[in-house]
Every structure is written in structure tokens, then in C-alpha cells.
Amino acid sequence: MNIKLITLTAATALSVALAQENSDNVQVVPIANAPAAAPAPAPAPAPAPAPRATAPAPAPQAAPAAVDTAAKAPATVHGIAYNNVGNQAAEPTIADNLNKPHKMAGAKLVYMEPTSSFSAVAFGEQSTKFISFEMSNNLGLATFGIANKGFGASISYALGKELTFTKTRDAYEQETEDEYSVTAGDIVRARFSFPMGAFDLNASAFWLTYQGETSTSTEQKDSDGKSTSDSDYDYWDLGGMVFLSNDPSAKNTFWNAGVTFTRHANSFERERKSGSSKTTTETTGRDAHVYIQPEFNIGGTILQGNGARVLLGLNTRAPFKFYDKINDNSNKNKDEYFTMAVYTVPNIFAEIALGNCWKVFGGADYTWAVFTMDKEEFITDYNDELDVVKSNITMIRSLTGATTVNLGARFQYSNIALEASIMNTFYNNPFRGFADGNNNILANFGGFIYF
């Protein structure tokens, strides 16, 4: 766990350095105004770095302009309300650019979204510094990063740690106990990205405590000597991901491909020492596993014109879980378990520019479990191989899941932009998204100020 504290110290030093560099280059930046009438939707005064094809609005008193999906002008950066279906050909969101830190290069903006407790700011001249705050379970997650056109990197952390020292002494003995606990949601994550000619590469690594864990060390002294007892619960994920996309060279079809890897730990260990004797107990939970998930996502324009366009996409992933083998040596039992699946999510995304200030957008998708398989094997030997029981259970499924539909709008005037969207499930239970402990965001609302 000490690596998290080391990383936090590095992050703090980085943030101080960024602030110092910025203070040495303070200058007044004029705010650009949106034109009174233009053939394109109201542009962001400071273009964001990620290229995407945009849908221009109809020219006033002229024939409507067609959407030029081959144009490589910098695209407008949107809020989290935009593109909830994850279509690869849509314009980038602030979350997309934070996931690829080099795409924050050149951005000068602040974004606030109260519905998902998310905020971000980007600033700087020679290089762009950026900071974001959000939630990780019930802990605040902070991100600090730096970017230019050739490279971007960031580090994120959410901390929930507690160290307790207890000392007890009476006339007969002395006992000390040290307890170290970590709260669920404690995480350290590093990201970096850079362009490679016609492609972008982005990668990240993380260490997450997904469930509260405790480590205890007890030492007891008496007239017979000293005895110690150490116990340690492990509930953490250690993993990373690497993705490659064709964003720099794409014209009409955008794709990305990559793989995610996670080691999911679930174990308990206890060690006891008394004099020359030592006893160790190790228990592995049934949920401990290795997770590998290849992904491929693609999207492109299928309809365009009159200031509008429609995008069609397909997001596909194939998760594999290899659970730890469970060996019960006392009863000579063994248990092996793994799962595999292929999920694909067809999606539709549409947007239209209305005048100089408004854009309306919406999306729909559904999840199709094309193929899922769970396979478990039990081997039981009670009588020294005289009575062996073997059981194999295989379950195969194919299922189309629920459909989600969302609709939203963007309003931009001068250097201010507001975006909001709402999902179909909001109408079934409008208070569900605001219930305590509910992380399902059914409605999004956020705003930008550009500089």
C-alpha cells in the first residue's frame, strides 16, 4: 500500500510545480465572441485538440451546408451529457480527453457538472496543465496532469487510510496492537498518451481497493516470553489498459482497439509466532481471479445534410475471467472455474444544429450478450482415491439486454456553453438517480466557460 502514499507525494509536488509555472506566465487572455451569424454551429472560442468531424448548421438565406465528415478542424469539446452511447465518430467529451491526456493540449476552459459531482479546469501557455475532481465510491478523486501536442500524462488518487496504535499494560503482561485500514474506493491511477503518426496510443495503470481491508499486528509480552500475531485482508484490483485509435487520420470511420487486464485479489492471511513455533493460515476467496478483456469499437456517419448527421456504431468486448483454483487439502477437494463472453452494443447517435447557439443530440443503444459461458469443475476425494466424485457444470447463454435512449441539447453563446441530457429510465422513476447510494446518473447537466 506504501506505493500509493509515494505516488500521492509525487502528485502533490507536480501540482505545486504546475501552479508555479503558470504564475510565471500570467497574462490576460481575451475572450472570443461567437459570430452573429455563421454557417457552422457556435464554435468554442478556444478549440479543443481532439479532431472530429462536426455537423455545421444551415447557412442563413442560403442552401443548407452539408456535413463535411472529412474535415479535420479541431472539434468542440463536450460535457459528459453528450454521447452517452459511446459512439466513436462523435465529437470528444471532456472525459474522453482526460482519458487521452495529450488531447488536453491547448485547452483553456473550466467545466462543472453538479449532477455527477465532476469538475475540470485546463490552463497554461507553453504546456497545458489540467486538474479534475470527481467521486470514487464515497471518496473524492483528484487528477493532475500536463499535456502538449506530442505527449500527455496524469496521475489520479483517492485516499482513505487510517493507522491506529494501541498499547495496553498491566501488572502481568504488556500488549501492543497496530492496525492499518484502507477504505473502499482508495485508488491510485496513472495515465499517458501520445500520437504515433496516423494513430493515437493511450494507456493507464491503477491500484484500487474495492472493499474495506484491515491489517493488524499484535505483540504480547509476559513472563513466558513474547508472542506475535499478524493478520492481513486483501481486497484490491491491480490492472491496466492499452488502446490504439485512428483519430488523427480518420475521415468518416473512427475506431479504437485495446485490451484491459486486472488482477482481482480476495484473500486472508494470518501468521502466529510463539517462541520457536510458527503457524500460518492462508485463505483465498472464491472471487479471486484474473480478468482480461479485449475490445474493439467502431463508428461512422451514415446520414448527413441540412446541418444534421446520424452516426452508427458498434462497441464490442470479450471478457475472460480465470478464477483462482481452490484447494482444500484437509478434505482433498479442488475447484476450478472460468467464464468467457462476447458482448456487443449497437448504437445510434444523431445531432442537428439549430441556428448559431443551439445543438440538439440524442442516442440509443442496447447490449447484446452474443455468447456467455460459465464452466466450473469440482473434484472431491474423500477416501484416498477410493471414492472420487467429479462434477462439471457448463452454462451457455445468449441474451439481448435492455435498450436505453437519451436526448440532450447544447446552448452556447460567446464563451459560455451549457449541456444537458436525460435518459428514458428517468421517466419511469425520476427520483431514482437522486437516491442515497445510487450511482446511476439518469440526467446530466454541466457547463463550460472557455478562454
Side-chain angles (χ1 to χ4, degrees):
M1 300 296 178
N2 290 336
I3 190 173
K4 298 185 179 181
L5 298 178
I6 295 172
T7 310
L8 171 59
T9 303
T12 305
L14 174 62
S15 64
V16 172
L18 300 186
Q20 179 63 37
E21 179 180 346
N22 187 63
S23 64
D24 294 339
N25 297 279
V26 173
Q27 57 180 289
V28 178
V29 182
I31 298 176
N33 294 323
R52 282 287 195 274
T54 60
Q61 299 178 356
V67 176
D68 181 11
T69 57
K72 298 307 293 179
T76 300
V77 60
H78 287 270
I80 299 176
Y82 180 83
N83 190 23
N84 292 152
V85 299
N87 190 286
Q88 290 298 304
E91 294 172 345
T93 68
I94 186 70
D96 293 333
N97 287 351
L98 287 171
N99 190 48
K100 298 180 179 180
H102 80 277
K103 289 197 171 183
M104 293 296 293
K108 296 180 181 179
L109 55 84
V110 61
Y111 176 72
M112 301 288 178
E113 181 162 335
T115 51
S116 59
S117 302
F118 178 86
S119 63
V121 63
F123 57 94
E125 298 300 329
Q126 288 80 14
S127 59
T128 299
K129 280 72 70 175
F130 55 91
I131 303 169
S132 71
F133 302 139
E134 54 190 297
M135 293 299 294
S136 172
N137 291 335
N138 293 318
L139 299 177
L141 177 68
T143 297
F144 299 89
I146 189 167
N148 54 46
K149 294 294 184 181
F151 183 81
S154 67
I155 187 165
S156 307
Y157 62 88
L159 299 179
K161 303 178 187 297
E162 183 177 297
L163 186 58
T164 303
F165 303 95
T166 303
K167 187 173 184 178
T168 304
R169 183 173 186 177
D170 58 26
Y172 302 99
E173 63 183 26
Q174 176 178 300
E175 181 177 290
T176 61
E177 181 180 272
D178 300 338
E179 182 177 280
Y180 176 65
S181 62
V182 184
T183 305
D186 184 284
I187 185 174
V188 170
R189 180 183 63 210
R191 289 170 168 165
F192 70 90
S193 67
F194 53 87
M196 299 191 308
F199 305 100
D200 278 346
L201 184 142
N202 64 291
S204 69
F206 68 92
W207 185 358
L208 166 69
T209 302
Y210 64 87
Q211 178 178 322
E213 59 184 25
T214 303
S215 299
T216 304
S217 178
T218 304
E219 181 179 289
Q220 186 173 340
K221 296 180 180 179
D222 55 28
S223 58
D224 295 330
K226 181 178 70 173
S227 62
T228 61
S229 176
D230 298 320
S231 62
D232 186 20
Y233 291 87
D234 285 324
Y235 304 113
W236 47 260
D237 286 342
L238 177 63
M241 49 81 73
V242 179
F243 273 80
L244 191 71
S245 70
N246 73 332
D247 285 0
S249 58
K251 295 182 178 180
N252 182 66
T253 302
F254 293 79
W255 59 260
N256 76 359
V259 62
T260 300
F261 170 86
T262 303
R263 169 55 182 167
H264 186 80
N266 184 329
S267 64
F268 168 73
E269 181 177 346
R270 172 173 288 167
E271 182 180 276
R272 298 176 184 269
K273 293 181 181 179
S274 180
S276 59
S277 64
K278 177 181 175 181
T279 303
T280 302
T281 302
E282 296 182 13
T283 303
T284 300
R286 287 180 57 84
D287 192 42
H289 63 264
V290 172
Y291 178 87
I292 302 173
Q293 177 175 277
E295 294 184 38
F296 181 75
N297 310 304
I298 190 170
T301 304
I302 57 171
L303 294 171
Q304 60 183 13
N306 297 325
R309 66 174 181 167
V310 178
L311 312 176
L312 185 64
L314 187 67
N315 299 338
T316 303
R317 57 190 180 92
F320 295 82
K321 283 186 179 181
F322 302 95
Y323 290 85
D324 290 13
K325 294 182 179 181
I326 305 299
N327 294 324
D328 183 352
N329 294 325
S330 60
N331 293 318
K332 299 182 180 180
N333 296 343
K334 295 182 180 180
D335 183 6
E336 296 188 33
Y337 184 40
F338 78 91
T339 67
M340 60 180 296
V342 176
Y343 296 94
T344 188
V345 185
N347 62 78
I348 303 168
F349 186 77
E351 56 186 344
I352 182 170
L354 303 175
N356 300 316
C357 298
W358 286 94
K359 177 188 284 187
V360 177
F361 52 82
D365 66 7
Y366 80 96
T367 301
W368 177 19
V370 181
F371 170 81
T372 67
M373 184 179 74
D374 297 0
K375 184 176 178 60
E376 188 166 10
E377 180 180 88
F378 302 91
I379 301 177
T380 305
D381 181 357
Y382 288 104
N383 299 312
D384 296 328
E385 298 183 0
L386 296 179
D387 183 11
V388 178
V389 178
K390 295 183 179 180
S391 299
N392 288 278
I393 301 175
T394 302
M395 181 180 296
I396 299 175
R397 296 179 300 271
S398 183
L399 179 69
T400 54
T403 298
T404 61
V405 181
N406 64 82
L407 184 66
R410 174 185 175 95
F411 173 80
Q412 180 170 338
Y413 180 76
S414 185
N415 64 323
I416 298 176
L418 301 174
E419 288 188 358
S421 68
I422 193 168
M423 294 181 65
N424 60 310
T425 48
F426 181 86
Y427 296 101
N428 299 329
N429 185 355
F431 299 104
R432 178 184 171 203
F434 303 98
D436 291 341
N438 195 309
N439 295 320
N440 296 318
I441 303 301
L442 308 181
N444 295 94
F445 176 77
F448 288 93
I449 301 177
Y450 299 100
F451 296 90

